[in-house]
């Protein structure tokens, strides 16, 4: 994989300094290394700075070949190949990008001779994309999302180690029943539980209500908890082959003195569902509640979530969901609740069924 541009050469040299601290992974004692595929989508891990002393950077500047070349120790733990599926900052992820990525991952999942998949992705919407993939892609092989909080040209860039560890997880036999995961800052998280919790720190990703499902330390993979027993990964809730477009679902943030204008505007714009990032246990003002009642009367599905960083949104707490015809998001915070509702609406309009999905997915 040739590195032709001066910028890519600079990134490779910087990354090699940090990559030199990575040992050959002791866990890979097998004579045949696993085959791991890297599906690159852009993000900070592929970002560069004009000046390494500046905080700002441009995401999605480097291709998958540069990412792989920057961590030569990958060859010690896996036979790695890759593809540039897209190259965008993750704030630009949208339904079309999700569908494109998920369809490609579904193809890779059924590729002979492939043991695991790594998806490099921007951190801003990684929690949403990984959740979408978990709900739509069959995962007999591990799919491991990773990225970085610092661009490739930064002092002490975290991308090389995150990529190294993600490849180790994707190639690990212990991870084969874990479905879609996020490997970040030496921890392994389920896509269902993980959220970005800090704007800049390398430990930004946390499973706030559940905790990680494992750890990975310079390639040493330790899976515990939910998938350690080795049971089969769950089937997709709606197979990606059956999805042609996604219903319009909006998130509306609650605050002191909240009115109903944004609720009315979302319904007028054609929203099939609304996720309310409510205060406390999913509460809203009386005026906003009146707007939600009118939205529900027009057929819009209302899901109460919370703007609070941790904790569950319980049914019939704060608001009488049975009376109002609302759905409680359970442990899903607004970003994931939106994805769950989009997929649920592809299956049913029954509120009881949708509530069951939130409680069990």
């Amino acid at each position: 994989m040739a590195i032709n541009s001066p910028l890519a050469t600079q990134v490779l040299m910087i990354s090699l300094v940090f990559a030199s601290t990575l040992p050959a992974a002791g866990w890979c004692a097998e004579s045949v290394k696993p085959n791991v595929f890297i599906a690159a989508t852009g993000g900070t891990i592929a970002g560069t700075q004009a000046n390494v002393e500046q905080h700002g950077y441009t995401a999605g500047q480097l291709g998958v070949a540069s990412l792989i070349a920057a961590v030569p120790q990958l060859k010690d733990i896996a036979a790695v190949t890759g593809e540039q599926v897209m190259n965008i900052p993750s704030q630009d992820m949208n339904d079309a990008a999700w569908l494109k990525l998920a369809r490609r991952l579904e193809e890779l999942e059924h590729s002979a001779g492939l043991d695991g998949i790594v998806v490099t992705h921007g951190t801003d919407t990684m929690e949403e994309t990984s959740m979408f993939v978990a709900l739509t892609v069959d995962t007999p092989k591990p799919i491991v999302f990773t990225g970085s909080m610092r661009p490739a040209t930064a002092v002490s860039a975290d991308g090389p180690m995150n990529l190294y560890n993600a490849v180790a997880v994707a190639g690990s036999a212990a991870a084969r029943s874990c479905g879609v995961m996020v490997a970040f800052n030496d921890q392994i998280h389920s896509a269902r539980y993980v959220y970005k919790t800090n704007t800049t720190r390398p430990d930004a990703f946390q499973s706030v209500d559940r905790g990680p499902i494992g750890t990975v330390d310079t390639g040493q993979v330790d899976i515990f908890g939910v998938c350690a027993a080795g049971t089969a990964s769950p089937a997709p809730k709606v197979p990606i082959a059956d999805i042609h477009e996604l219903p319009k679902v909006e998130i509306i943030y609650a605050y002191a003195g909240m009115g109903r204008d944004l609720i009315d505007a979302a319904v007028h714009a054609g929203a099939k569902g609304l996720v309310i990032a409510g205060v406390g246990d999913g509460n809203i003002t009386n005026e906003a509640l009146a707007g939600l009642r009118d939205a529900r009367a027009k057929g819009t599905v209302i899901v109460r979530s919370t703007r609070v960083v941790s904790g569950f949104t319980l049914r019939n707490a704060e608001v009488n969901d049975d009376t109002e015809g609302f759905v409680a998001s359970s442990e899903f915070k607004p970003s994931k609740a939106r994805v769950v509702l989009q997929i649920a609406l592809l299956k049913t309009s029954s509120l009881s069924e949708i509530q069951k999905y939130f409680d069990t997915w």
Side-chain angles (χ1 to χ4, degrees):
M1 299 178 182
I3 307 296
N4 297 319
S5 71
L7 177 58
T9 301
Q10 176 195 12
V11 172
L12 175 58
M13 293 180 67
I14 292 172
S15 298
L16 285 174
V17 173
F18 298 105
S20 65
T21 64
L22 297 170
W27 63 269
C28 190
E30 304 149 3
S31 58
V32 179
K33 297 182 180 70
N35 293 306
V36 175
F37 191 95
I38 298 176
T41 69
T44 301
I45 194 170
T48 60
Q49 300 162 295
N51 185 332
V52 295
E53 296 179 355
Q54 294 177 346
H55 179 68
Y57 62 93
T58 303
Q61 296 299 293
L62 303 176
V64 66
S66 296
L67 297 181
I68 294 172
V71 192
Q73 287 84 355
L74 290 175
K75 70 180 183 299
D76 297 328
I77 61 172
V80 177
T81 54
E83 174 185 323
Q84 197 71 46
V85 180
M86 61 193 75
N87 204 351
I88 60 175
S90 71
Q91 68 266 22
D92 287 333
M93 278 286 167
N94 55 29
D95 292 354
W98 280 354
L99 294 172
K100 178 181 179 180
L101 175 62
R103 286 171 183 145
R104 182 62 180 129
L105 294 176
E106 181 75 15
E107 293 173 351
L108 292 167
E109 281 291 324
H110 298 285
S111 298
L114 193 63
D115 297 298
I117 302 166
V118 170
V119 180
T120 60
H121 193 286
T123 60
D124 285 348
T125 58
M126 187 184 295
E127 64 196 52
E128 293 152 272
T129 303
S130 61
M131 185 70 184
F132 178 78
V133 170
L135 293 177
T136 61
V137 175
D138 192 20
T139 56
K141 301 162 185 173
I143 297 177
V144 184
F145 279 73
T146 197
S148 69
M149 294 300 292
R150 298 167 180 163
T153 52
V155 175
S156 192
D158 54 329
M161 181 63 83
N162 283 343
L163 181 60
Y164 181 86
N165 281 339
V167 168
V169 176
S172 171
R176 287 176 189 163
S177 62
C178 296
V180 182
M181 294 161 279
V182 171
F184 220 94
N185 195 50
D186 299 346
Q187 292 186 325
I188 307 166
H189 300 272
S190 167
R192 189 180 190 276
Y193 307 139
V194 71
Y195 294 89
K196 184 176 180 179
T197 62
N198 191 273
T199 56
T200 58
R201 289 202 314 245
D203 64 346
F205 282 84
Q206 304 290 333
S207 296
V208 293
D209 291 315
R210 298 281 186 167
I213 62 169
T215 60
V216 52
D217 183 356
T218 54
Q220 302 279 348
V221 178
D222 182 14
I223 300 288
F224 47 82
V226 67
C227 63
T231 56
S233 56
K237 308 308 179 185
V238 176
I240 189 60
D242 296 342
I243 303 176
H244 304 290
E245 63 178 355
L246 292 169
K248 184 180 181 65
V249 174
E250 302 289 359
I251 299 173
I252 298 179
Y253 191 92
Y255 50 90
M258 178 187 184
R260 60 177 292 166
D261 292 354
L262 295 178
I263 296 168
D264 294 340
V267 174
H268 181 74
K272 302 301 182 184
L274 294 179
V275 174
I276 305 300
V279 297
D281 197 353
N283 213 342
I284 62 275
T285 64
N286 286 331
E287 185 178 351
L289 181 59
L292 293 178
R293 286 172 178 150
D294 289 345
R296 182 70 206 110
K298 294 176 182 178
T300 305
V301 176
I302 309 300
V303 174
R304 292 189 309 107
S305 185
T306 179
R307 70 182 199 181
V308 181
V309 70
S310 65
F312 289 28
T313 302
L314 303 176
R315 186 165 183 82
N316 295 324
E318 304 275 12
V319 175
N320 191 320
D321 296 302
D322 292 340
T323 299
E324 303 293 352
F326 297 163
V327 173
S329 69
S330 186
E331 70 183 285
F332 295 114
K333 307 306 180 287
S335 59
K336 291 190 191 293
R338 176 177 175 268
V339 180
V340 173
L341 182 54
Q342 284 182 296
I343 302 303
L345 287 171
L346 294 174
K347 294 171 69 69
T348 184
S349 60
S350 164
L351 295 179
S352 61
E353 286 296 304
I354 293 173
Q355 182 66 70
K356 183 171 70 175
Y357 298 149
F358 273 90
D359 292 340
T360 60
W361 286 1

